[in-house]
Amino acid sequence: MANDDKKLIKILKKFPDQNPNPVIRISDKGVLEYFNSPSIEIVEFYGLKLDSKVNDIFLNHIQKTISNSEHGFEIRVKTLSFYFKSIYIKELRFINLYGTDITAKRVIDKFPDSNPNPVLRITSDGKLNYYNKASEYIINVLKVDLNITLPDSILNHIKSESNSFELKIGSKDYLLNLVKIGEFNFYLLYGTDITDTKDKEKILQKLSKYFSPQVYNSIFSGQLDVTINTSRKNLTVFFSDIKSFTTITEKLEPEILTELVTSYLTEMTNIAIEYGGTVDKYIGDAIMIFFGDPNSNGTKNDAIACVSMALRMKKALRGLRKNWKSAGLSESLHVRMGIHTDVCTVGNFGSLDRLDYTVLGNGVNLASRLESLAGSNEILISENTYNLVKSKVKCNYFDEIKAKGKSHSIKTFQVVDVLSRKGADAKIKASAEGFDLSIDKNKIKNMEEIIDYLEDSIEKLNSQ
């Protein structure tokens, strides 16, 4: 034998010592010639000995390796699993067995079988290579099977490596959690059926439309109990309705009337919610709102928020009027508003089977009375409210009225606007050739009429 061949044999016999994985050498006659230290547990478990013939298990794999030059097989050693790649070195008349511990992979492969929830294993290129029994519904609906590429509805999330996402599959909703197993180059997709939860959410969303957001949140946060329960609180109560609404309803088709009233109530409600008001109820075109329960920023701030809301509503009416005009309505949209602050009884009223979260008391009646006395686009407030808001809101004295349940007359005030921080803002002047405008807001009793007049004038100019 040449010196070069001897060196090669020496190298081949030596290199497995440095391999951290099991390496076993068996002659083509089936005799164990060598094993490195990581192989000791395997050798001992199967009772193999150096220079002795190996058992039938290994002989079988040796024969297959000799026939095919290469062969792969798995063996179990106690709780461990090993995969061996055996290579026949024909020139040296022996077979090298190179082992890899695949215990962790086998555990991953096996454990989803007992998982009551869907588990899918997906290759890095998006193909399904395993699913457990709980996943059968998903597999059937998606019409996929092993070694088939999954649809984009799942692949897009895998590409972006989303940690979790919701997906509707057939009639069911699933929360899917994606885990990348980088060591084995695949993904595990864990599913949870959330169909019942989604159905309940849809029901709650429908129910929420029957409650003010504050009341709804208080009920479902546990702050408010669904029982007959009331308390006495300082509240600011607001009423509004559309002037001559009965006449308007007689001139419109039901579909158009519904559309116009819906747009009006939606706009007003959004403003109420923005300012923190609790929408109590709609009575036809009328709206009842109160401030101070279930959440309160203090009696004064609640009153200021309520009056500020009313002014914002007046401003929003200008845009709504144009919609009503375009619908062919000859009567313009005018609203009356009344506000009063007083101690009221608030809470759940009703029977054992049906409850209404509302406010009762003379304070409510007085706010309603003020609304009925108000003129077109006018906000009337009681003296109680005036005393709370006068530092922030400009008001004019209106009149004294007799109120049911009150032994003395009630002073009332007309809300003009939020107090300006700069006195110069009270006067507006503008001029051009053929045009001259001068407005003193302090002397104007009804700013809304002036604004309507200016808007009509602008429309006439644009039409010429």
Side-chain angles (χ1 to χ4, degrees):
M1 184 180 291
N3 288 333
D4 289 341
D5 291 338
K6 289 180 180 179
K7 289 180 181 179
L8 178 60
I9 293 171
K10 189 175 182 180
I11 291 170
L12 287 172
K13 288 184 175 181
K14 184 178 181 181
F15 86 89
D17 291 334
Q18 300 170 352
N19 196 320
N21 294 315
V23 178
I24 300 172
R25 182 181 299 128
I26 302 173
S27 73
D28 57 3
K29 301 296 185 182
V31 176
L32 178 63
E33 293 186 344
Y34 166 86
F35 60 88
N36 63 355
S37 56
S39 307
I40 293 174
E41 189 173 11
I42 299 170
V43 170
E44 290 179 349
F45 180 79
Y46 283 98
L48 307 181
K49 293 181 180 180
L50 284 174
D51 302 324
S52 298
K53 206 163 189 178
V54 297
N55 59 29
D56 292 343
I57 295 174
F58 282 88
L59 283 176
N60 180 45
H61 292 302
I62 292 303
Q63 291 170 2
K64 290 181 179 179
T65 305
I66 293 172
S67 300
N68 301 299
S69 297
E70 292 185 8
H71 174 58
F73 61 95
E74 291 183 20
I75 60 172
R76 291 276 296 174
V77 178
K78 299 179 182 176
T79 60
L80 303 177
S81 295
F82 291 90
Y83 175 78
F84 274 94
K85 181 74 173 290
S86 55
I87 299 175
Y88 181 35
I89 312 297
K90 187 175 181 181
E91 295 76 7
L92 303 177
R93 302 178 64 85
F94 63 71
I95 296 94
N96 272 344
L97 281 64
Y98 301 95
T100 303
D101 187 338
I102 60 169
T103 307
K105 186 175 186 302
R106 282 291 163 261
V107 170
I108 291 173
D109 288 347
K110 185 178 180 181
F111 84 89
D113 290 335
S114 57
N115 196 318
N117 295 316
V119 181
L120 295 83
R121 188 170 64 241
I122 304 162
T123 62
S124 58
D125 58 355
K127 291 182 179 179
L128 178 70
N129 73 352
Y130 167 86
Y131 62 90
N132 64 352
K133 187 173 179 61
S135 306
E136 289 179 353
Y137 177 82
I138 295 175
I139 299 303
N140 291 334
V141 172
L142 296 181
K143 296 180 180 178
V144 295
D145 208 336
L146 296 177
N147 301 316
I148 300 295
T149 302
L150 290 167
D152 290 340
S153 57
I154 292 178
L155 285 185
N156 291 336
H157 290 286
I158 293 175
K159 290 175 183 177
S160 62
E161 295 192 352
S162 305
N163 291 328
S164 65
F165 56 95
E166 291 183 12
L167 189 65
K168 189 169 188 64
I169 302 175
S171 61
K172 296 185 178 183
D173 292 285
Y174 289 93
L175 174 64
L176 298 169
N177 290 286
L178 184 68
V179 179
K180 184 178 182 180
I181 311 298
E183 294 81 359
F184 301 111
N185 203 29
F186 63 73
Y187 297 88
L188 285 176
L189 195 62
Y190 299 92
T192 303
D193 188 340
I194 58 170
T195 307
D196 288 344
T197 303
K198 282 292 182 182
D199 289 343
K200 289 174 183 176
E201 285 180 1
K202 290 174 184 176
I203 293 171
L204 290 177
Q205 286 174 357
K206 292 177 181 178
L207 285 175
S208 68
K209 295 183 181 296
Y210 289 90
F211 297 95
S212 175
Q214 296 93 329
V215 175
Y216 176 84
N217 292 332
S218 295
I219 290 173
F220 289 98
S221 67
Q223 181 182 343
L224 182 65
D225 197 8
V226 188
T227 59
I228 296 176
N229 185 30
T230 62
S231 59
R232 299 277 287 170
K233 290 186 178 181
N234 244 318
L235 304 179
T236 297
V237 184
F238 167 94
F239 273 91
S240 72
D241 77 345
I242 299 173
K243 187 179 178 182
S244 305
F245 185 71
T246 303
T247 304
I248 293 172
T249 58
E250 292 172 352
K251 296 183 178 182
L252 293 175
E253 293 296 325
E255 295 81 7
I256 297 175
L257 176 65
T258 300
E259 183 179 345
L260 292 177
V261 171
T262 299
S263 65
Y264 163 74
L265 292 177
T266 300
E267 183 74 16
M268 298 299 105
T269 300
N270 289 339
I271 293 171
I273 292 170
E274 180 183 342
Y275 281 84
T278 299
V279 180
D280 186 303
K281 60 174 67 70
Y282 306 113
I283 311 166
D285 63 300
I287 309 173
M288 177 182 171
I289 302 167
F290 58 86
F291 287 72
D293 187 83
N295 302 315
S296 174
N297 293 315
T299 304
K300 182 175 181 177
N301 289 331
D302 290 340
I304 292 171
C306 183
V307 174
S308 300
M309 174 198 72
L311 287 168
R312 174 73 176 278
M313 287 178 170
K314 274 185 63 175
K315 187 176 181 180
L317 289 173
R318 293 200 287 271
L320 289 171
R321 283 193 196 100
K322 294 179 181 179
N323 296 336
W324 286 53
K325 277 186 179 180
S326 63
L329 193 63
S330 57
E331 287 85 357
S332 187
L333 174 62
H334 296 291
V335 175
R336 302 175 297 198
M337 305 180 194
I339 299 172
H340 174 55
T341 304
D342 210 337
V343 176
C344 305
T345 303
V346 60
N348 288 322
F349 295 87
S351 67
L352 296 175
D353 299 320
R354 189 179 186 280
L355 298 175
D356 186 16
Y357 193 84
T358 189
V359 183
L360 298 179
N362 288 331
V364 178
N365 298 332
L366 182 52
S368 179
R369 174 83 187 283
L370 289 170
E371 177 263 307
S372 64
L373 292 173
S376 297
N377 308 312
E378 188 175 63
I379 305 168
L380 284 187
I381 64 175
S382 67
E383 186 176 12
N384 284 11
T385 305
Y386 171 74
N387 288 333
L388 293 168
V389 304
K390 61 184 179 182
S391 63
K392 298 289 185 180
V393 180
K394 177 177 172 54
C395 301
N396 293 330
Y397 175 75
F398 179 73
D399 200 358
E400 288 191 9
I401 63 170
K402 288 286 185 181
K404 185 178 179 181
K406 298 288 185 180
S407 59
H408 57 280
S409 298
I410 304 295
K411 290 182 180 180
T412 60
F413 296 80
Q414 180 194 56
V415 176
V416 178
D417 203 349
V418 176
L419 283 173
S420 173
R421 293 182 179 178
K422 296 181 180 179
D425 292 341
K427 293 185 179 181
I428 300 172
K429 289 187 178 182
S431 62
E433 186 176 350
F435 169 76
D436 190 22
L437 173 67
S438 178
I439 298 174
D440 187 345
K441 294 199 292 184
N442 289 329
K443 295 181 180 180
I444 294 173
K445 292 183 178 180
N446 193 332
M447 180 61 74
E448 200 68 33
E449 289 183 2
I450 299 298
I451 293 172
D452 287 344
Y453 175 78
L454 290 171
E455 286 182 343
D456 289 341
S457 299
I458 291 169
E459 287 184 9
K460 289 178 181 178
L461 285 171
N462 289 332
S463 63
Q464 292 179 357

